Amino acid sequence: MGGTRFEDVPLPYSSAKPLPQRAPTLKRSKTLTRPERHIAPAPLIAPPPTHFSDGDGPGSPGNQGCCGGDWNWWVIWSYATTWWAPPALLKMFGIKEKQSRQAWREKITLCWIAILLGAVVGFATMGLQRALCPEGETDNQFRRLGTDAMTLGVAGKVVNVSSSLTQEHVDFYAISKQMPGQDITNLFKRQASDYPKCTSDKRYATTPLCRTGTTQPASEKGQLQACELPQLNDATFGALRIQTTDLEIGYSWEQVAKMPGYLVLDGLVINLSPYMTANPDVIPNDEVDFAIRQVLRNQSTSGKDATMLFHHNDITKQAIPCLQTRYLAGRIDKIAPGCFVASLFLYVSLTVILGVVFVRFAMACIFNWFISARLVRPPRDLGRNAISPAVMPEGANVSVNNRTGTAPWAGPKKLKQNRPNGKNLDTTMAQSSDPLINLTRIGAELFAVCLVTCYSEGEDSIRGTVESIASTNYSDARKLIWIVCDGMITGHGEKQSTPDVCVSMLEADPRYGNPMPMGYIAVGSGAKRENRAMIYAGHMGMS
């Protein structure tokens, strides 16, 4: 289909019976206006049943499986998804045909699948990070020991001492200058009631955390460090002008290995220096004391992790909550496994998306700069022979030397008519239907073919699209518009079906006769695999 120039008009012909005059646009013949066109379309996915009863469901005769049985997984799934809509209810809402009800069930099932997939994508985009790495486990909550000046650690939290008041025996500035972020929890007075999880009578839960009175050397055997600061609470922080934060002191495995009295328990760094100072000797029949000393004796880089050892039996396992609250100094600041997986998924997704974008951009540039010019380049060697356009695939024409040039269903009538230049059509077609022709007879001018797909569009939409293509600068003599109508569908508010609209826009080529349905194998399964279509050929009348 193309414009309306003289050379685009079908070849004139004559026959024993004159053909009637046609209007500028073709009225729909009765070949496609059968009564069955108004029957509800078959389901989009499940093949239409050969026999069906009034009932629904996988066990009904109308829902046979692909192999003749009743267990068609798609039918079962669609019926299970719409169990809340029995056939009686659908009939009340006007869906009386068995196939229409099944089509409705399949559409609802597809909607649920789309919602489910959307939820999966939404969770992967928004919820995966929070699920695998909730608040409190991100890697930006730590301040590594020894990095931030004018900071110290109290019960595992970072405190800012830049504006603090120096005490008689405690110089916050000097301590922070010596090692920023180091633990000073043992300088505060604490009571047993501050740790309700320590209910055991073992030494790890009852040993004093510091000594009241004047300061004595902490290295002296059996002597605890004096509690130089008031009670550990918010009032004390306010009085000392110590600024608290939500950040946590982070330790590396190397730092924990070099610090005596420190170990790791479930990712938490435990400062057991007060315990070891108050109990320099092994406590008999105390499994917790034995486990602590066994871990502290290990000085390897990552060998001070007591998690597995303490989870080995119930006695040591019960001591974990008390140790983690009473002697807490910070955390190992390595990223948690969940956070690592979430971050890995995020970066992989970002890489894939950006990769697709950049690859498509690069392909577009390559096509525009290097390939597009080759596609529209005229042929160079016109002196060689090629297969004639009149030679159609096997079975598509009556014979290779079809002198009439008609469609297979038009019959072997000999249409004779003198062309404007005086040549007979039979002679012309006989010349053009040779198996091989010289390319000089075709010429160097390129052909342009455009595919337009339609489903439920109206005449205005289709005509606007086709006329826009037909008015392009390509030669009308070598321009072909191929319109495919996918089924007998009538759009909302339309009086004609989409195939009717497309056919009414054509000025038919009489050589193709009266089209008839021709079978072909489609993409599908079951009865959907065998399909039929009709071809209307002609020229478009521009409005």
Side-chain angles (χ1 to χ4, degrees):
M1 294 178 290
T4 56
R5 299 193 310 179
F6 175 77
E7 57 267 27
D8 297 330
V9 178
L11 297 175
Y13 69 98
S14 63
S15 62
K17 183 179 180 180
L19 293 176
Q21 296 294 327
R22 297 182 182 271
T25 58
L26 178 66
K27 295 297 182 180
R28 183 62 180 271
S29 65
K30 294 184 179 181
T31 55
L32 289 182
T33 56
R34 299 186 296 269
E36 56 266 26
R37 57 181 283 196
H38 299 289
I39 297 178
L44 297 177
I45 296 180
T50 306
H51 303 286
F52 56 88
S53 62
D54 190 59
D56 282 348
S60 61
N63 284 327
Q64 300 298 324
C66 62
C67 302
D70 295 338
W71 299 103
N72 186 311
W73 68 270
W74 175 247
V75 174
I76 296 174
W77 191 6
S78 62
Y79 194 80
T81 306
T82 57
W83 61 268
W84 43 269
L89 180 62
L90 297 181
K91 290 180 181 179
M92 292 176 56
F93 286 92
I95 308 178
K96 298 181 179 181
E97 294 81 7
K98 172 65 172 58
Q99 288 183 301
S100 298
R101 291 197 297 270
Q102 179 61 23
W104 181 87
R105 295 183 188 279
E106 293 180 357
K107 291 178 181 178
I108 297 299
T109 303
L110 291 175
C111 290
W112 278 112
I113 294 176
I115 293 174
L116 179 61
L117 294 178
V120 171
V121 174
F123 174 77
T125 305
M126 305 295 297
L128 185 63
Q129 179 73 22
R130 295 185 179 181
L132 296 180
C133 185
E135 287 188 38
E137 293 187 11
T138 55
D139 58 347
N140 58 356
Q141 66 174 347
F142 300 110
R143 288 296 181 266
R144 175 66 70 86
L145 177 68
T147 56
D148 291 355
M150 305 307 295
T151 60
L152 293 172
V154 177
K157 295 293 185 179
V158 177
V159 295
N160 191 323
V161 296
S162 59
S163 60
S164 63
L165 298 177
T166 301
Q167 303 301 295
E168 181 181 357
H169 300 291
V170 179
D171 187 348
F172 296 112
Y173 302 100
I175 297 175
S176 177
K177 185 177 181 180
Q178 178 186 9
M179 175 61 74
Q182 66 174 301
D183 184 33
I184 62 171
T185 309
N186 297 327
L187 297 178
F188 291 87
K189 294 182 176 68
R190 290 174 287 172
Q191 301 175 357
S193 60
D194 296 335
Y195 306 103
K197 295 183 178 181
C198 295
T199 59
S200 176
D201 57 352
K202 298 291 185 180
R203 296 296 295 273
Y204 71 87
T206 59
T207 296
L209 297 171
C210 62
R211 179 179 59 81
T212 58
T214 58
T215 304
Q216 294 185 9
S219 59
E220 187 176 336
K221 185 175 181 180
Q223 295 295 323
L224 291 171
Q225 186 176 6
C227 299
E228 304 290 353
L229 300 176
Q231 192 70 26
L232 181 58
N233 51 39
D234 293 337
T236 300
F237 289 146
L240 298 177
R241 297 183 183 179
I242 297 176
Q243 301 175 8
T244 60
T245 67
D246 293 331
L247 301 176
E248 297 184 70
I249 296 293
Y251 293 78
S252 67
W253 288 106
E254 293 79 7
Q255 289 174 332
V256 174
K258 295 177 181 179
M259 301 173 69
Y262 283 69
L263 57 80
V264 180
L265 191 58
D266 284 336
L268 301 180
V269 178
I270 308 301
N271 182 6
L272 291 170
S273 299
Y275 175 81
M276 297 301 294
T277 302
N279 304 281
D281 299 324
V282 178
I283 302 175
N285 301 322
D286 191 335
E287 295 187 26
V288 177
D289 180 77
F290 175 78
I292 292 174
R293 296 179 189 277
Q294 183 178 357
V295 174
L296 293 180
R297 284 196 298 265
N298 195 332
Q299 298 297 321
S300 64
T301 302
S302 60
K304 299 180 73 173
D305 187 358
T307 304
M308 183 177 296
L309 182 61
F310 271 77
H311 283 273
H312 182 67
N313 60 63
D314 294 337
I315 296 177
T316 54
K317 187 176 182 179
Q318 292 173 1
I320 293 177
C322 177
L323 294 174
Q324 289 178 338
T325 56
R326 204 166 194 257
Y327 303 98
L328 180 64
R331 289 175 178 264
I332 292 294
D333 63 353
K334 297 295 183 181
I335 186 172
C339 297
F340 174 77
V341 173
S343 300
L344 180 63
F345 179 83
L346 178 64
Y347 287 119
V348 169
S349 302
L350 180 62
T351 303
V352 171
I353 294 174
L354 292 180
V356 171
V357 172
F358 285 119
V359 168
R360 289 174 62 91
F361 177 76
M363 292 174 63
C365 293
I366 293 174
F367 178 82
N368 184 51
W369 295 340
F370 304 105
I371 301 178
S372 59
R374 299 180 181 180
L375 299 180
V376 297
R377 185 174 58 188
R380 298 178 180 178
D381 184 13
L382 296 179
R384 58 189 177 90
N385 294 332
I387 299 177
S388 171
V391 178
M392 304 178 69
E394 182 180 358
N397 208 341
V398 177
S399 64
V400 172
N401 296 318
N402 181 12
R403 300 175 64 87
T404 63
T406 60
W409 51 79
K413 297 180 180 180
K414 294 182 179 181
L415 306 178
K416 298 180 180 180
Q417 175 69 25
N418 291 329
R419 293 170 56 88
N421 57 9
K423 293 184 179 181
N424 185 274
L425 176 63
D426 281 347
T427 305
T428 303
M429 293 306 301
Q431 294 174 353
S432 63
S433 60
D434 294 333
L436 296 177
I437 63 172
N438 193 276
L439 291 183
T440 54
R441 297 177 57 188
I442 298 178
E445 189 175 9
L446 299 178
F447 292 88
V449 181
C450 184
L451 175 66
V452 179
T453 57
C454 305
Y455 183 69
S456 60
E457 290 78 6
E459 181 175 358
D460 294 338
S461 177
I462 299 175
R463 184 176 290 276
T465 301
V466 176
E467 288 186 352
S468 176
I469 298 173
S471 60
T472 55
N473 294 330
Y474 296 102
S475 172
D476 289 343
R478 301 201 171 192
K479 186 188 303 178
L480 174 64
I481 304 176
W482 183 272
I483 305 177
V484 178
C485 299
D486 187 13
M488 302 296 299
I489 306 299
T490 301
H492 180 70
E494 299 293 335
K495 296 181 180 180
Q496 286 183 310
S497 66
T498 303
D500 287 322
V501 172
C502 294
V503 172
S504 65
M505 296 167 56
L506 297 180
E507 177 68 27
D509 188 332
R511 292 178 300 176
Y512 284 83
N514 193 18
M516 60 181 296
M518 303 294 288
Y520 66 94
I521 301 300
V523 178
S525 60
K528 283 180 170 288
R529 183 173 177 80
E530 298 181 4
N531 212 330
R532 290 196 175 194
M534 286 186 289
I535 299 178
Y536 287 81
H539 292 72
M540 177 182 174
M542 301 289 287
S543 60

